[in-house]
Amino acid sequence: MDTTYNVKFWKTGVNVGKRKTTHTVRWELNGREHRQTFVTAALAESFRAGLVSAARKGEAFSLSTGLPVSHISQAAGVTWYDFVIQFVDQLWARTSANNRRNVAKALTPVTIALLRSQPTAFKGVDVRRALREYAFNTLRRDQAPPEVAVILRWVQRNSLTMAAWEDEDTVETVLRAAGMKLDGTPVAASTARRTKRVLNVLIEHAIKKKVLKENPLPKGKGAASKISSAVDKRSLLNKEQAAKLLGWVHARPRGGPRLHTFFATMYYAGARPEEVVALDVGDVRLPDADADDQWGELLLHTAHPEVGRQWTNTGEVREQRGLKGRAADDTRTVPCRPALTRILRAHIEREGLKPGELLMQGEKGGDLAGSVIRRAWRRARKEVLTPYEFGSPLGRRVYDLRHTCLTNWLNAGVPAATVAEWAGNSVPVLLATYARCIDGQLDDLKQRIEGAGELPDPAAAGV
């Protein structure tokens, strides 16, 4: 328990300021001073009397909050580590594998910050790995290797109680620690926001369980770093650059045509990587080879995000899920332009694929590995782009192929609502993400503005 009976009181202090006078109650627990300030002497004396009365009754005081245990919530009766384990386990069954991983990442630095003392017998990276990969993984916790189990037992013994969240200084210390990497550099703004979101969910759970009385996390617009959702225009590929990159991939001696089909589907259809790898041959609706109209369509209804086998219920690297932001059985139809129709038809014939089989497969069957995709794209950029372009954001991520496709659709004049439907986004999200990338229509817009008419020239009117 994070409590003590070693308490000492001082007389109430009076602080006379220029605008007002305050009264401060000071007391000491195990050599650490605590204080509480009040606007009137009566309030201060009443608070001090309550502390003294609790001490005379032999009541324990919390080292985290400085208050008698009867004055605080049930937080002093449960450690942070034990509560987090319970939180992770109740969350596990109803969340995706990717969310499980994000929760574990968010809780790891917070847990280290809520230790009575920092670990000296273990390396920092080992403690983080033990927490992230085992303690906060419901399926793997009991399978922790002996050296990891030793670390987790030490963390459990040295964890502060939930009462630490009732101390403002501790909350600030925890948030600072959560915003730093192991090497002392700040985490990305998106990571900081995700950690704050996870902590809010956890603390609301603690309030529901009556472990905490209120949410101590700071609120308001200034509580988190600003995050821009807009696409960096420098990351978009022009037609020539995309052609060179995909051409290099196609010429690869090992799996080149297969990977070319994957990248081409992203570039022409704007699908997410996890949606492309989940495509079934039967979901590719192509016209006959001799048809006049060579437009087809892709039916997207499943995604296979890559999260790691330790986070999925099946033990597979990828998790099978519905489309992002949609109901589990929802379907999205995306047009397949003639260029992509030819590529997909050739791919299906070359691989000998049939309906019911995955369109994009690895060399040995099954899902196309994300590591293979990223490695091929990185090598293509290095071989095709100039040193300056390679070091720039230009096509740095495979996902930039999707950004390029959606931008091209918008610049071609496709209505935003239609692009949003094809892309699987809402219209507000689409516009917020791609508004800075829309161009090519300025001349037409200028003509429309001028066509609305202008005010008469005062000089010509004789005014």
Side-chain angles (χ1 to χ4, degrees):
M1 292 289 289
D2 184 24
T3 58
T4 184
Y5 295 91
N6 184 14
V7 56
K8 177 181 178 181
F9 298 98
W10 283 281
K11 292 183 179 180
T12 301
V14 180
N15 308 297
V16 180
K18 293 183 178 180
R19 296 185 177 181
K20 63 179 180 180
T21 299
T22 58
H23 305 266
T24 302
V25 177
R26 297 170 55 232
W27 70 104
E28 184 181 282
L29 299 177
N30 283 359
R32 179 188 175 189
E33 181 180 327
H34 294 265
R35 60 176 61 199
Q36 187 77 36
T37 301
F38 299 88
V39 295
T40 66
L43 289 174
E45 287 302 328
S46 175
F47 179 76
R48 184 179 185 279
L51 299 181
V52 173
S53 175
R56 288 174 178 172
K57 293 178 182 178
E59 190 172 336
F61 280 62
S62 168
L63 290 172
S64 299
T65 65
L67 300 175
V69 294
S70 63
H71 288 207
I72 60 178
S73 64
Q74 301 178 24
V78 57
T79 67
W80 161 259
Y81 181 84
D82 290 338
F83 185 82
V84 167
I85 294 299
Q86 179 267 328
F87 171 76
V88 168
D89 289 348
Q90 66 86 30
L91 203 65
W92 187 272
R94 55 188 178 88
T95 56
S96 67
N98 191 54
N99 189 61
R100 296 167 184 170
R101 182 181 61 180
N102 288 338
V103 168
K105 287 182 177 180
L107 295 178
T108 294
V110 175
T111 300
I112 294 175
L114 288 171
L115 293 172
R116 290 192 180 89
S117 60
Q118 292 303 295
T120 56
F122 314 107
K123 295 180 180 179
V125 65
D126 292 337
V127 176
R128 290 200 175 208
R129 177 177 175 272
L131 291 170
R132 184 182 64 250
E133 301 294 333
Y134 290 95
F136 304 146
N137 188 309
T138 301
L139 298 182
R140 301 184 74 199
R141 190 179 306 126
D142 295 336
Q143 303 172 6
E147 63 274 14
V148 172
V150 170
I151 294 176
L152 296 183
R153 285 195 295 269
W154 182 89
V155 171
Q156 185 176 31
R157 291 194 305 271
N158 287 274
S159 177
L160 294 174
T161 68
M162 289 293 289
W165 289 100
E166 297 175 338
D167 178 62
E168 292 183 1
D169 292 338
T170 301
V171 173
E172 291 182 5
T173 300
V174 169
L175 293 180
R176 282 197 302 270
M180 294 293 176
K181 299 179 183 177
L182 192 57
D183 60 3
T185 59
V187 300
S190 58
T191 301
R193 178 161 295 191
R194 183 176 61 214
T195 299
K196 176 76 178 300
R197 185 167 60 248
V198 171
L199 287 178
N200 268 307
V201 174
L202 184 147
I203 289 176
E204 291 302 323
H205 178 70
I207 295 173
K208 180 179 179 181
K209 295 294 183 181
K210 302 188 184 305
V211 174
L212 293 177
K213 293 182 178 179
E214 59 184 13
N215 191 336
L217 297 178
K219 300 176 178 61
K221 295 182 179 179
S225 302
K226 300 293 184 182
I227 299 177
S228 175
S229 60
V231 169
D232 186 346
K233 197 172 182 177
R234 298 174 300 169
S235 68
L236 302 178
L237 299 161
N238 62 36
K239 182 179 178 180
E240 291 73 21
Q241 292 164 340
K244 290 180 180 179
L245 287 167
L246 269 64
W248 186 92
V249 171
H250 189 276
R252 278 178 49 132
R254 184 176 178 179
R258 183 186 302 113
L259 287 167
H260 172 266
T261 303
F262 173 87
F263 294 132
T265 304
M266 288 193 62
Y267 177 77
Y268 283 125
R272 300 179 176 91
E274 61 269 24
E275 296 170 344
V276 178
V277 298
L279 268 173
D280 185 284
V281 176
D283 298 326
V284 180
R285 307 295 174 84
L286 303 179
D288 293 334
D290 56 355
D292 293 334
D293 185 358
Q294 286 296 303
W295 278 87
E297 61 182 16
L298 306 179
L299 303 181
L300 305 178
H301 55 81
T302 308
H304 291 175
E306 188 177 49
V307 293
R309 64 180 77 252
Q310 68 269 38
W311 301 106
T312 61
N313 293 327
T314 61
E316 299 292 334
V317 175
R318 292 186 181 273
E319 180 184 37
Q320 183 170 328
R321 296 185 57 79
L323 299 179
K324 183 178 180 180
R326 299 203 174 199
D329 57 350
D330 203 356
T331 300
R332 189 171 89 244
T333 302
V334 182
C336 179
R337 60 189 297 169
L340 182 57
T341 294
R342 291 191 295 270
I343 294 172
L344 293 180
R345 181 184 292 119
H347 172 77
I348 293 172
E349 293 176 356
R350 182 176 57 249
E351 299 290 329
L353 301 175
K354 299 178 181 179
E357 297 179 338
L358 286 175
L359 179 67
M360 308 292 175
Q361 300 182 13
E363 289 186 354
K364 299 180 180 179
D367 286 326
L368 186 59
S371 59
V372 173
I373 296 169
R374 292 187 294 272
R375 186 164 56 246
W377 186 251
R378 185 166 54 248
R379 183 67 183 276
R381 290 185 73 249
K382 187 173 183 180
E383 295 294 333
V384 171
L385 303 180
T386 66
Y388 172 78
E389 291 172 335
F390 180 76
S392 74
L394 178 64
R396 181 175 294 167
R397 303 183 306 159
V398 175
Y399 208 92
D400 290 328
L401 288 168
R402 168 178 161 88
H403 289 324
T404 299
C405 176
L406 271 56
T407 301
N408 289 342
W409 284 344
L410 290 169
N411 287 334
V414 180
T418 302
V419 175
E421 174 62 26
W422 292 348
N425 286 336
S426 66
V427 174
V429 168
L430 180 82
L431 295 179
T433 305
Y434 297 98
R436 299 178 185 175
C437 302
I438 301 175
D439 55 23
Q441 303 174 35
L442 184 57
D443 291 340
D444 179 57
L445 295 175
K446 288 178 179 178
Q447 293 178 8
R448 292 187 183 186
I449 293 173
E450 290 186 12
E454 299 177 353
L455 295 177
D457 187 349
V463 178

PDB file of all heavy atoms in Angstrom, residues 263-274:
ATOM      1  N   PHE A 263       0.708  -2.205 -56.779  1.00  0.00           N
ATOM      2  CA  PHE A 263       0.907  -0.756 -56.785  1.00  0.00           C
ATOM      3  C   PHE A 263      -0.019  -0.073 -57.792  1.00  0.00           C
ATOM      4  O   PHE A 263      -0.534   1.023 -57.530  1.00  0.00           O
ATOM      5  CB  PHE A 263       2.363  -0.430 -57.107  1.00  0.00           C
ATOM      6  CG  PHE A 263       3.342  -0.878 -56.048  1.00  0.00           C
ATOM      7  CD1 PHE A 263       4.483  -1.583 -56.378  1.00  0.00           C
ATOM      8  CD2 PHE A 263       3.111  -0.588 -54.714  1.00  0.00           C
ATOM      9  CE1 PHE A 263       5.383  -1.994 -55.409  1.00  0.00           C
ATOM     10  CE2 PHE A 263       4.000  -0.988 -53.718  1.00  0.00           C
ATOM     11  CZ  PHE A 263       5.142  -1.699 -54.078  1.00  0.00           C
ATOM     12  N   ALA A 264      -0.250  -0.707 -58.927  1.00  0.00           N
ATOM     13  CA  ALA A 264      -1.130  -0.122 -59.943  1.00  0.00           C
ATOM     14  C   ALA A 264      -2.561  -0.026 -59.436  1.00  0.00           C
ATOM     15  O   ALA A 264      -3.281   0.940 -59.732  1.00  0.00           O
ATOM     16  CB  ALA A 264      -1.074  -0.952 -61.224  1.00  0.00           C
ATOM     17  N   THR A 265      -2.992  -1.010 -58.650  1.00  0.00           N
ATOM     18  CA  THR A 265      -4.353  -0.974 -58.091  1.00  0.00           C
ATOM     19  C   THR A 265      -4.511   0.187 -57.126  1.00  0.00           C
ATOM     20  O   THR A 265      -5.551   0.851 -57.089  1.00  0.00           O
ATOM     21  CB  THR A 265      -4.673  -2.301 -57.393  1.00  0.00           C
ATOM     22  OG1 THR A 265      -4.495  -3.382 -58.321  1.00  0.00           O
ATOM     23  CG2 THR A 265      -6.102  -2.326 -56.877  1.00  0.00           C
ATOM     24  N   MET A 266      -3.476   0.451 -56.348  1.00  0.00           N
ATOM     25  CA  MET A 266      -3.529   1.603 -55.455  1.00  0.00           C
ATOM     26  C   MET A 266      -3.516   2.906 -56.242  1.00  0.00           C
ATOM     27  O   MET A 266      -4.256   3.846 -55.928  1.00  0.00           O
ATOM     28  CB  MET A 266      -2.348   1.573 -54.482  1.00  0.00           C
ATOM     29  CG  MET A 266      -2.425   0.504 -53.408  1.00  0.00           C
ATOM     30  SD  MET A 266      -1.218   0.782 -52.092  1.00  0.00           S
ATOM     31  CE  MET A 266      -1.754   2.356 -51.433  1.00  0.00           C
ATOM     32  N   TYR A 267      -2.689   2.967 -57.276  1.00  0.00           N
ATOM     33  CA  TYR A 267      -2.545   4.207 -58.040  1.00  0.00           C
ATOM     34  C   TYR A 267      -3.803   4.527 -58.850  1.00  0.00           C
ATOM     35  O   TYR A 267      -4.211   5.686 -58.949  1.00  0.00           O
ATOM     36  CB  TYR A 267      -1.343   4.097 -58.977  1.00  0.00           C
ATOM     37  CG  TYR A 267      -1.140   5.301 -59.857  1.00  0.00           C
ATOM     38  CD1 TYR A 267      -0.573   6.470 -59.356  1.00  0.00           C
ATOM     39  CD2 TYR A 267      -1.528   5.283 -61.204  1.00  0.00           C
ATOM     40  CE1 TYR A 267      -0.395   7.583 -60.160  1.00  0.00           C
ATOM     41  CE2 TYR A 267      -1.348   6.393 -62.011  1.00  0.00           C
ATOM     42  CZ  TYR A 267      -0.794   7.538 -61.492  1.00  0.00           C
ATOM     43  OH  TYR A 267      -0.621   8.648 -62.279  1.00  0.00           O
ATOM     44  N   TYR A 268      -4.426   3.523 -59.430  1.00  0.00           N
ATOM     45  CA  TYR A 268      -5.586   3.758 -60.301  1.00  0.00           C
ATOM     46  C   TYR A 268      -6.926   3.704 -59.558  1.00  0.00           C
ATOM     47  O   TYR A 268      -7.883   4.358 -59.974  1.00  0.00           O
ATOM     48  CB  TYR A 268      -5.614   2.727 -61.425  1.00  0.00           C
ATOM     49  CG  TYR A 268      -4.628   2.980 -62.539  1.00  0.00           C
ATOM     50  CD1 TYR A 268      -3.719   2.011 -62.926  1.00  0.00           C
ATOM     51  CD2 TYR A 268      -4.613   4.191 -63.222  1.00  0.00           C
ATOM     52  CE1 TYR A 268      -2.805   2.231 -63.963  1.00  0.00           C
ATOM     53  CE2 TYR A 268      -3.714   4.434 -64.256  1.00  0.00           C
ATOM     54  CZ  TYR A 268      -2.818   3.451 -64.620  1.00  0.00           C
ATOM     55  OH  TYR A 268      -1.933   3.683 -65.642  1.00  0.00           O
ATOM     56  N   ALA A 269      -7.011   2.909 -58.476  1.00  0.00           N
ATOM     57  CA  ALA A 269      -8.292   2.738 -57.780  1.00  0.00           C
ATOM     58  C   ALA A 269      -8.329   3.406 -56.412  1.00  0.00           C
ATOM     59  O   ALA A 269      -9.394   3.478 -55.795  1.00  0.00           O
ATOM     60  CB  ALA A 269      -8.613   1.246 -57.631  1.00  0.00           C
ATOM     61  N   GLY A 270      -7.189   3.886 -55.923  1.00  0.00           N
ATOM     62  CA  GLY A 270      -7.172   4.623 -54.660  1.00  0.00           C
ATOM     63  C   GLY A 270      -7.513   3.796 -53.444  1.00  0.00           C
ATOM     64  O   GLY A 270      -7.892   4.351 -52.404  1.00  0.00           O
ATOM     65  N   ALA A 271      -7.381   2.484 -53.532  1.00  0.00           N
ATOM     66  CA  ALA A 271      -7.702   1.631 -52.386  1.00  0.00           C
ATOM     67  C   ALA A 271      -6.569   1.665 -51.366  1.00  0.00           C
ATOM     68  O   ALA A 271      -5.412   1.945 -51.698  1.00  0.00           O
ATOM     69  CB  ALA A 271      -7.939   0.195 -52.850  1.00  0.00           C
ATOM     70  N   ARG A 272      -6.900   1.399 -50.125  1.00  0.00           N
ATOM     71  CA  ARG A 272      -5.894   1.308 -49.079  1.00  0.00           C
ATOM     72  C   ARG A 272      -5.104   0.007 -49.240  1.00  0.00           C
ATOM     73  O   ARG A 272      -5.633  -0.980 -49.752  1.00  0.00           O
ATOM     74  CB  ARG A 272      -6.553   1.354 -47.697  1.00  0.00           C
ATOM     75  CG  ARG A 272      -7.341   2.634 -47.416  1.00  0.00           C
ATOM     76  CD  ARG A 272      -7.980   2.589 -46.040  1.00  0.00           C
ATOM     77  NE  ARG A 272      -8.651   3.852 -45.719  1.00  0.00           N
ATOM     78  CZ  ARG A 272      -9.927   4.110 -45.974  1.00  0.00           C
ATOM     79  NH1 ARG A 272     -10.689   3.177 -46.559  1.00  0.00           N
ATOM     80  NH2 ARG A 272     -10.468   5.261 -45.651  1.00  0.00           N
ATOM     81  N   PRO A 273      -3.854  -0.038 -48.765  1.00  0.00           N
ATOM     82  CA  PRO A 273      -3.055  -1.262 -48.913  1.00  0.00           C
ATOM     83  C   PRO A 273      -3.730  -2.493 -48.332  1.00  0.00           C
ATOM     84  O   PRO A 273      -3.723  -3.568 -48.943  1.00  0.00           O
ATOM     85  CB  PRO A 273      -1.762  -0.934 -48.163  1.00  0.00           C
ATOM     86  CG  PRO A 273      -1.667   0.556 -48.198  1.00  0.00           C
ATOM     87  CD  PRO A 273      -3.081   1.051 -48.148  1.00  0.00           C
ATOM     88  N   GLU A 274      -4.349  -2.344 -47.149  1.00  0.00           N
ATOM     89  CA  GLU A 274      -4.995  -3.494 -46.512  1.00  0.00           C
ATOM     90  C   GLU A 274      -6.244  -3.944 -47.261  1.00  0.00           C
ATOM     91  O   GLU A 274      -6.680  -5.084 -47.117  1.00  0.00           O
ATOM     92  CB  GLU A 274      -5.348  -3.182 -45.057  1.00  0.00           C
ATOM     93  CG  GLU A 274      -6.318  -2.030 -44.846  1.00  0.00           C
ATOM     94  CD  GLU A 274      -5.637  -0.696 -44.666  1.00  0.00           C
ATOM     95  OE1 GLU A 274      -4.475  -0.552 -45.144  1.00  0.00           O
ATOM     96  OE2 GLU A 274      -6.230   0.194 -44.051  1.00  0.00           O
TER      97      GLU A 274
END
